[in-house]
């Protein structure tokens, strides 16, 4: 047997094990053919020497916003996927977003294909954001997408007026997705709580950037999370609660999981590393311990007369940290999320890459009225993070952090950044692990401390003009990124060496349940009671 490539002299990390003692990876035709010791080299075999470094599966980032109509200043498919491979991500799943007035998903998906086709550096798939779930869409179009288009996941919102669904609509979508084997993603925040708080903030003139974190308190996420879980229990439907940031909301998830409900959870690096202090636009202490901020518990741009003066450039830089749910206030919030990571409450750790440029009248500066007055409700939501996700999280593993300071094991890192997402979204057996038959998607890290970096905007490859992780130190960075056997990122050359358009659209199968099971009766209902109405 002759291989196209062999990766040798690496410490191979799979979703379940860390393989040492000279195990090599044999690659042929873009696939991993075998793992073995002393694999034969042919005349045409390329040997990639990992030099003792860790080798992990390529990242699967299952929550990315690329070239959506509501983010005209952000990444294109070219720049977003270029940034992805430079950070070790080899597969992304992005959102084709339906607008409320649209009565069919077909043109939405077709338009998104046109944007992505021939542009991507990595493999990719689509979710559908569903905002108008008509009977025709549920009965005709979703089955077609799942069975013929390989689009097997939808995202639903409980907030944002142009996108939020009623509880009845949520139920109907959940039930349909369950019957089709589709994964239902839910952005859970209580829209009415948020609306009442914003009305009060407006009356008091508190509309600067930091008040975005006041407008969407944890309790709004907590209530909507509990409600979404209750709806899913009634519908007997698996769901994924996206970008979770609240300890109480996570406790709701844990409670559901203990009852074997198929409730999955996701969080993102910005909720693990950043606090609401960022919204003040103040300099912060930096590091790799996941805690930063000045410790000042009051917005420093409020003067003694209560006037809001954060319209100057320094304070409005807090707009760069506007995302929803917002960054939380206390280091204890970060600690709670890290405990949930360690305890496997989360299924996936995604980037929620939602790029809007800062210094652009169509980007974050939409929140400056007449270029001076800050209105946080006008600031586009979301943070860039597709390139920094893996390095930030890998730095927290037991294989990278100092002894006793690791916040997750190496197999946990693989599960939460790669293999779980692949399974949940219908790519199991193809993406997300290092095993025979899987695509040869790999990250080869730097040996020892040679990969340490200080994150800066200058080093990144996205089209956004800032990173919320500016100045943070990471203990390693991908040295080589390999997509289907081809090196697409080479840190030794400091260059993306892959070809634009190499990435392929992925037709996905049914998602797998990673926690719980279906078929249980909701609490308090008789056996078979659901059959009277479902």
């Amino acid at each position: 047997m002759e291989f196209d490539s062999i990766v040798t002299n690496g410490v191979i990390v799979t979703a379940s094990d860390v393989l040492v003692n000279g195990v090599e990876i044999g690659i042929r035709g873009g696939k991993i053919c075998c793992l073995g010791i002393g694999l034969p080299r042919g005349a045409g075999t390329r040997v990639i020497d990992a030099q003792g470094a860790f080798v992990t599966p390529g990242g699967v980032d299952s929550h990315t916003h690329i070239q959506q109509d509501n983010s005209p200043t952000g990444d294109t498919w070219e720049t977003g996927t270029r940034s992805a491979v430079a950070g070790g991500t080899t597969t992304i799943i992005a959102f084709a977003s339906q607008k409320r007035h649209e009565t069919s998903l077909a043109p939405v998906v077709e338009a998104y294909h046109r944007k992505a086709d021939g542009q991507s550096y990595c493999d990719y798939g689509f979710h559908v954001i569903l905002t108008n779930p008509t009977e025709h869409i549920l009965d005709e179009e979703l089955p077609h997408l799942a069975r013929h288009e390989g689009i097997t996941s939808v995202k639903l919102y409980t907030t944002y007026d142009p996108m939020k669904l009623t509880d009845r609509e949520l139920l109907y979508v959940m039930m349909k997705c369950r019957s089709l084997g589709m994964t239902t993603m839910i952005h859970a925040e209580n829209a009415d709580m948020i609306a009442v708080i914003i009305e009060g903030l407006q009356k008091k003139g508190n509309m600067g950037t930091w008040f975005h974190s006041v407008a969407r308190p944890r309790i709004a996420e907590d209530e909507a999370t509990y409600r979404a879980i209750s709806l899913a229990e009634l519908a007997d439907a698996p769901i994924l609660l996206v970008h979770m940031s609240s300890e109480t909301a996570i406790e709701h998830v844990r409670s559901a999981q203990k009852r074997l409900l198929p409730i999955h959870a996701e969080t993102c690096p910005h909720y693990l590393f950043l606090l609401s202090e960022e919204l003040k636009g103040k300099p912060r202490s930096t590091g790799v311990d996941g805690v930063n901020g000045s410790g000042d518990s009051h917005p420093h741009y409020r003067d003694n007369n209560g006037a809001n003066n954060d319209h100057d450039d320094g304070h409005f830089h807090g707009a760069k940290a506007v995302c929803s749910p917002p960054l939380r206030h206390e280091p204890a919030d970060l600690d709670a999320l890290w405990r949930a990571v360690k305890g496997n409450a989360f299924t996936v750790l995604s980037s929620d890459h939602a790029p809007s440029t800062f210094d652009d009248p169509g980007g974050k500066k939409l929140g400056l009225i007449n270029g001076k007055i800050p209105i946080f409700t006008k600031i586009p939501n979301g943070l860039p993070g597709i390139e920094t996700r893996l390095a930030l999280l890998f730095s927290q593993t037991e294989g990278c952090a100092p002894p006793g300071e690791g916040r997750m094991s190496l197999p946990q890192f693989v599960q939460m950044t790669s293999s779980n997402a692949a399974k949940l979204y219908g790519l199991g057996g193809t993406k997300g692990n290092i095993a025979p038959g899987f695509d040869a998607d790999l990250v080869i890290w730097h040996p020892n401390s040679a990969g340490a970096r200080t994150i800066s905007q200058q080093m990144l490859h996205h089209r956004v003009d800032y990173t919320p992780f500016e100045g943070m130190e990471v203990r390693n960075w991908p040295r080589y990124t390999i997509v289907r056997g081809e090196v697409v990122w080479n840190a030794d050359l400091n260059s993306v060496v892959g070809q634009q358009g190499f990435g392929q659209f992925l037709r996905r199968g049914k998602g797998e349940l990673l926690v719980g099971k279906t078929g249980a009766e909701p609490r308090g209902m008789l056996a078979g009671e659901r059959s009277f109405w479902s």
Side-chain angles (χ1 to χ4, degrees):
M1 177 182 292
E2 182 170 332
F3 299 103
D4 299 331
S5 302
I6 292 174
V7 177
T8 188
N9 196 24
V11 179
I12 299 168
V13 185
T14 73
S16 58
D17 296 293
V18 180
L19 307 179
V20 292
N21 300 322
V23 177
E24 299 176 321
I25 304 170
I27 300 168
R28 187 171 61 189
K31 295 282 188 179
I32 297 171
C33 289
C34 70
L35 303 179
I37 297 174
L39 297 181
R41 276 77 162 152
T45 302
R46 175 181 52 176
V47 177
I48 302 173
D49 187 353
Q51 298 182 338
F54 289 108
V55 182
T56 61
V60 178
D61 195 344
S62 55
H63 192 151
T64 65
H65 300 268
I66 305 290
Q67 207 168 335
Q68 289 179 216
D69 291 342
N70 62 354
S71 184
T73 68
D75 275 314
T76 64
W77 274 90
E78 175 192 0
T79 63
T81 58
R82 181 182 67 201
S83 186
V85 299
T89 290
T90 55
T91 298
I92 68 169
I93 311 179
F95 295 94
S97 183
Q98 180 195 30
K99 298 181 178 65
R100 180 82 77 184
H101 68 274
E102 293 175 323
T103 57
S104 173
L105 296 177
V108 176
V109 172
E110 289 170 8
Y112 218 54
H113 272 299
R114 287 195 299 270
K115 292 178 181 179
D117 187 43
Q119 301 298 309
S120 183
Y121 285 87
C122 65
D123 291 345
Y124 63 96
F126 298 157
H127 310 289
V128 169
I129 293 176
L130 193 55
T131 60
N132 185 17
T134 64
E135 186 175 347
H136 172 74
I137 286 174
L138 293 180
D139 292 342
E140 303 295 334
E141 295 197 353
L142 283 187
H144 178 80
L145 287 178
R147 294 166 184 163
H148 302 288
E149 300 292 332
I151 298 174
T152 55
S153 48
V154 301
K155 184 180 180 183
L156 311 178
Y157 286 82
T158 67
T159 187
Y160 303 136
D161 287 339
M163 309 178 89
K164 68 180 180 182
L165 301 184
T166 65
D167 288 353
R168 177 184 294 185
E169 290 171 323
L170 291 169
L171 277 169
Y172 278 127
V173 176
M174 287 181 190
M175 290 188 290
K176 177 56 68 173
C177 286
R178 181 194 183 281
S179 70
L180 295 170
M182 300 179 75
T183 300
T184 302
M185 310 162 72
I186 299 181
H187 176 144
E189 289 183 287
N190 184 303
D192 290 327
M193 285 184 180
I194 294 166
V196 168
I197 295 171
I198 289 176
E199 288 170 4
L201 290 170
Q202 288 173 327
K203 290 177 182 178
K204 292 180 175 291
N206 293 328
M207 297 302 290
T209 56
W210 183 79
F211 289 104
H212 172 77
S213 65
V214 175
R216 311 180 86 95
R218 277 179 38 176
I219 193 171
E221 182 181 349
D222 301 340
E223 186 282 329
T225 297
Y226 184 84
R227 177 159 42 98
I229 293 171
S230 298
L231 296 173
E233 183 175 9
L234 179 66
D236 190 25
I239 62 172
L240 172 78
L241 291 150
V242 298
H243 47 52
M244 297 190 72
S245 66
S246 167
E247 180 178 14
T248 302
I250 296 163
E251 289 172 355
H252 293 326
V253 170
R254 285 184 183 274
S255 175
Q257 291 172 345
K258 287 177 181 177
R259 293 189 288 116
L260 296 184
L261 294 179
I263 307 299
H264 303 87
E266 167 199 272
T267 195
C268 314
H270 42 280
Y271 299 118
L272 293 168
F273 290 94
L274 304 178
L275 294 170
S276 64
E277 290 283 323
E278 303 290 327
L279 290 151
K280 301 175 184 179
K282 296 173 66 174
R284 55 171 155 81
S285 59
T286 57
V288 291
D289 60 357
V291 178
N292 59 62
S294 67
D296 177 8
S297 62
H298 301 285
H300 78 297
Y301 47 78
R302 304 282 296 172
D303 63 25
N304 291 333
N305 296 318
N308 188 329
N309 56 28
D310 79 335
H311 59 269
D312 65 86
D313 286 344
H315 297 147
F316 191 73
H317 274 268
K320 296 176 181 178
V322 168
C323 59
S324 293
L327 304 179
R328 299 307 180 186
H329 299 313
E330 302 292 340
D333 293 307
L334 306 181
D335 293 338
L337 294 189
W338 279 114
R339 287 195 300 273
V341 169
K342 186 72 171 177
N344 288 308
F346 291 114
T347 304
V348 293
L349 302 177
S350 74
S351 70
D352 191 10
H353 181 73
S356 288
T357 54
F358 171 74
D359 194 15
D360 189 298
K364 294 285 189 179
K365 286 192 173 180
L366 281 170
L368 278 179
I369 308 304
N370 297 323
K372 295 181 178 180
I373 303 172
I375 305 290
F376 72 80
T377 55
K378 304 291 184 182
I379 300 170
N381 271 279
L383 312 178
I386 200 169
E387 189 169 346
T388 50
R389 176 184 71 120
L390 285 189
L392 284 164
L393 296 171
F394 190 69
S395 292
Q396 302 299 313
T397 66
E398 293 173 350
C400 201
E405 296 182 19
R407 286 170 158 151
M408 64 181 119
S409 70
L410 285 163
Q412 275 184 307
F413 167 80
V414 168
Q415 293 161 19
M416 293 184 187
T417 63
S418 194
S419 64
N420 284 355
K423 293 176 183 177
L424 187 65
Y425 292 109
L427 294 171
T430 302
K431 300 290 186 182
N433 209 353
I434 300 177
F438 280 73
D439 284 354
D441 296 349
L442 305 170
V443 176
I444 301 176
W445 298 84
H446 287 81
N448 302 318
S449 60
R453 299 282 190 278
T454 299
I455 295 174
S456 69
Q457 166 64 14
Q458 185 177 6
M459 67 182 280
L460 301 179
H461 296 78
H462 55 203
R463 200 178 75 155
V464 189
D465 54 0
Y466 74 97
T467 170
F469 305 106
E470 185 76 38
M472 280 195 170
E473 299 171 3
V474 291
R475 298 182 175 106
N476 212 323
W477 191 269
R479 185 181 185 189
Y480 306 119
T481 304
I482 299 172
V483 175
R484 285 181 279 111
E486 298 296 324
V487 177
V488 295
W489 160 253
N490 185 332
D492 294 346
L493 302 176
N494 193 29
S495 178
V496 173
V497 296
Q499 296 298 311
Q500 181 182 353
F502 179 71
Q504 298 177 349
F505 176 71
L506 301 169
R507 295 181 181 273
R508 296 177 287 123
K510 294 181 179 181
E512 300 178 37
L513 293 186
L514 302 180
V515 297
K517 62 184 181 67
T518 56
E521 298 289 344
R523 289 175 294 181
M525 289 174 60
L526 298 173
E529 184 174 335
R530 190 187 284 112
S531 66
F532 290 115
W533 55 268
S534 175

